[in-house]
Amino acid sequence: MSQLVDDFNSYRAEMNERILADNNKIIKRIFNLDTNAYMEGALDVKTKELLGLVASAVLRCDDCIKYHLETSYKAGLRKEEVVEALSIATLVGGTIVIPHLRRAYEFWDALAANDTPAIETK
């Protein structure tokens, strides 16, 4: 796996474990709500991931962008679909999103360099 992807997933897993170990009911419920929100429903998983990706880009959350890129990749979204969603995010968010767009491209390329992406739930 790409070092960029591996570093992201390792840090995320370690910190999620530490956060959840505190056994805070509110934080655990937020994590659970987040996980359940992205499951198949009236909207399919791919659509929900693209919505999450656009929102994350507009809000300029690099960790969120990486998470949604990886889940989009695992869900089988094509680069063209992801780039189109990111183009909408850049339009809505403005030019301040461009640095995040650059990092998104870098992370997608790292995912694509690995044929078997590993993903965890939030």
Side-chain angles (χ1 to χ4, degrees):
M1 178 169 291
S2 160
Q3 190 65 44
L4 181 64
V5 175
D6 190 45
D7 288 349
F8 172 73
N9 285 325
S10 294
Y11 177 76
R12 189 173 165 277
E14 176 186 341
M15 293 311 298
N16 282 354
E17 186 177 319
R18 286 182 58 199
I19 291 166
L20 293 173
D22 277 342
N23 205 28
N24 180 286
K25 184 175 14 175
I26 295 168
I27 291 174
K28 283 188 170 190
R29 287 183 176 174
I30 291 169
F31 272 59
N32 183 269
L33 178 62
D34 184 75
T35 297
N36 285 303
Y38 287 94
M39 290 182 175
E40 189 87 19
L43 296 175
D44 62 29
V45 171
K46 288 180 177 182
T47 301
K48 288 182 175 188
E49 286 305 329
L50 290 175
L51 289 168
L53 178 61
V54 169
S56 298
V58 170
L59 291 170
R60 302 185 306 269
C61 175
D62 282 332
D63 279 8
C64 302
I65 292 167
K66 288 175 182 176
Y67 175 81
H68 289 292
L69 284 172
E70 191 165 6
T71 54
S72 293
Y73 187 81
K74 183 177 181 185
L77 282 157
R78 294 176 292 114
K79 181 178 181 180
E80 295 78 16
E81 295 169 307
V82 170
V83 168
E84 191 164 321
L86 288 169
S87 72
I88 298 298
T90 306
L91 172 67
V92 172
T95 57
I96 197 165
V97 174
I98 292 173
H100 304 277
L101 181 63
R102 290 181 190 119
R103 289 187 287 276
Y105 264 75
E106 176 185 30
F107 198 77
W108 184 267
D109 288 346
L111 290 167
N114 175 27
D115 285 338
T116 55
I119 188 73
E120 303 173 36
T121 59
K122 260 188 178 174

